[in-house]
């Protein structure tokens, strides 16, 4: 029998994977992929809580997270395209124009 | 029984796919694995009786977001392997594990307690999409409209950011500049 803990543990594992990606990735595009993993891991947790407590609020939050993720991708990709046109690279280490 | 099998299968596939996303050196492999992981995540939503959320997951994430990434990747050179300068891989592993552990404990500790009561209980006798509609258009109407405005703002921002100088070719322009420098 699958309980709430199973889903929460899975959500935590996926969140760890996403967090590892955020720490490790130096490419902006792949960094955005890692943030998508984080958002999806949280969505699973919300949906699981929503079912096991019989409350729809979790699903509502998951919907709004999906909306936020979609707008984040639109703006983020636009910014990345502008950056790539200027610099020709997406490496985070190249974004040091403000260093002293 | 079938729920257990489905849960473990989906979990294994999702974890493997997301591990490929964070560890692959090729951006194209990463994107494909991410799309596959999104679809298996919608499987969890169907298991959790959140049918509408599962359909939204497939349509919005695998349909819209991944397509947007695919179009965006046409601007970048994705056939080349991603070179990443990682200084301390073990430290990164340890840090991410510790941070995730702290976050999970901090957020899960109040959740395990028995004080949680359903705020908006499931409506009896209706299917999931209908119940979602009832809650979304009564209790969450204002956030819904705000989310619509936010999506509009994001759409305009994306058009303005990516649409400038769309008629100029990126790669050809660089070659032309090289040729100009070489001829001088």
């Amino acid at each position: 029998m699958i309980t709430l803990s199973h889903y929460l543990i899975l959500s935590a594992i996926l969140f760890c994977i996403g967090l590892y990606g955020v720490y490790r990735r130096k490419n902006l595009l792949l960094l955005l992929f890692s943030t998508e993993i984080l958002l999806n891991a949280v969505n699973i947790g919300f949906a699981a809580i929503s079912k096991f407590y019989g409350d729809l609020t979790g699903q509502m939050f998951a919907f709004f997270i999906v909306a936020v993720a979609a707008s984040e991708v639109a703006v983020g990709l636009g910014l990345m395209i502008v950056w790539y046109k200027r610099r020709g690279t997406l490496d985070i280490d190249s974004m040091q124009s403000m260093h002293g | 029984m079938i729920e257990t099998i489905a849960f473990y299968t989906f979990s294994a596939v999702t974890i493997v796919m997301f591990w490929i996303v964070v560890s692959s050196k090729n951006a194209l492999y990463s994107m494909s694995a991410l799309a596959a992981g999104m679809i298996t995540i919608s499987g969890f939503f169907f298991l959790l009786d959140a049918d509408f959320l599962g359909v939204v997951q497939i349509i919005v994430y695998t349909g819209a977001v991944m397509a947007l990434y695919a179009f965006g990747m046409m601007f970048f050179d994705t056939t080349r392997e991603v070179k990443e300068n990682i200084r301390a891989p073990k430290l990164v592993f340890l840090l991410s594990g510790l941070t995730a552990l702290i976050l999970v404990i901090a957020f899960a500790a109040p959740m395990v307690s028995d004080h949680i009561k359903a705020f908006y209980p499931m409506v009896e006798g209706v299917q999931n999409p209908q119940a979602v509609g009832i809650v979304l258009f009564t209790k969450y109407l204002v956030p819904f409209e705000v989310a619509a405005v936010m999506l509009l703002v994001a759409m305009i921002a994306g058009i303005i950011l990516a649409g400038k100088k769309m008629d100029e070719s990126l790669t050809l322009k660089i070659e032309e500049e090289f040729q100009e420098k070489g001829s001088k």
Side-chain angles (χ1 to χ4, degrees):
Chain A
M1 191 59 204
I2 303 296
T3 58
L4 178 60
S5 314
H6 285 77
Y7 282 102
L8 287 183
I9 288 170
L10 173 77
S11 173
I13 291 173
L14 294 181
F15 196 84
C16 284
I17 293 176
L19 210 58
Y20 172 70
V22 169
Y23 279 129
R24 182 181 169 277
R25 285 302 197 187
K26 291 288 181 71
N27 186 298
L28 255 187
L29 188 69
L30 300 172
L31 199 67
L32 266 186
F33 286 174
S34 303
T35 58
E36 299 290 330
I37 296 178
L38 292 180
L39 292 171
N40 271 288
V42 173
N43 270 355
I44 290 181
F46 273 132
I49 296 264
S50 166
K51 179 182 177 188
F52 286 96
Y53 282 98
D55 189 342
L56 276 173
T57 311
Q59 287 184 33
M60 293 300 126
F61 268 87
F63 285 126
F64 291 123
I65 286 179
V66 169
V68 167
S71 40
E72 170 233 328
V73 168
V75 178
L77 262 180
L79 287 172
M80 278 192 327
I81 288 169
V82 172
W83 183 263
Y84 193 78
K85 278 179 183 173
R86 292 244 174 105
R87 300 293 172 100
T89 175
L90 284 178
D91 201 356
I92 284 190
D93 288 339
S94 70
M95 296 189 179
Q96 291 181 335
S97 54
M98 283 180 76
H99 74 126
Chain B
M1 183 60 199
I2 200 141
E3 192 197 352
T4 314
I5 297 171
F7 176 80
Y8 284 112
T9 318
F10 280 136
S11 313
V13 174
T14 314
I15 289 172
V16 168
M17 283 302 163
F18 281 172
W19 186 253
I20 292 173
V21 173
V22 295
S23 61
S24 168
K25 283 195 169 172
N26 192 322
L28 212 55
Y29 293 166
S30 267
M31 200 199 70
S32 314
L34 189 61
M38 299 291 184
I39 289 199
T40 48
I41 278 189
S42 79
F44 288 117
F45 292 150
F46 289 122
L47 277 182
L48 286 166
D49 294 336
D51 306 347
F52 190 65
L53 191 57
V55 174
V56 164
Q57 173 85 12
I58 291 181
I59 292 176
V60 172
Y61 263 115
T62 13
V65 171
M66 297 320 291
L68 200 61
Y69 273 129
F71 282 122
M73 281 169 83
M74 291 177 188
F75 287 93
F76 315 125
D77 188 7
T78 47
T79 50
R80 196 170 46 188
E81 282 207 341
V82 180
K83 263 182 270 171
E84 284 172 315
N85 173 24
I86 301 155
R87 290 194 195 88
K90 276 181 188 170
L91 187 68
V92 166
F93 211 81
L94 194 74
L95 265 181
S96 58
L98 280 179
T99 321
L101 194 69
I102 291 169
L103 277 176
V104 167
I105 290 172
F107 283 107
M111 229 175 264
V112 194
S113 64
D114 296 327
H115 300 296
I116 299 180
K117 272 185 289 183
F119 215 45
Y120 301 122
M122 300 269 192
V123 187
E124 293 294 327
V126 292
Q127 295 287 311
N128 174 259
Q130 200 177 347
V132 165
I134 290 170
V135 177
L136 191 62
F137 289 111
T138 52
K139 312 284 184 190
Y140 288 94
L141 186 60
V142 175
F144 182 72
E145 300 287 345
V146 172
V149 174
M150 184 188 66
L151 281 171
L152 180 69
V153 170
M155 187 183 78
I156 295 171
I159 290 171
I160 288 180
L161 283 172
K164 269 184 193 168
K165 297 178 184 171
M166 204 69 152
D167 47 340
E168 293 177 27
S169 170
L170 298 173
T171 47
L172 289 178
K173 192 181 157 198
I174 291 168
E175 275 176 21
E176 278 168 13
E177 281 174 2
F178 276 133
Q179 281 167 0
E180 279 173 13
K181 279 176 190 170
S183 61
K184 272 174 193 173

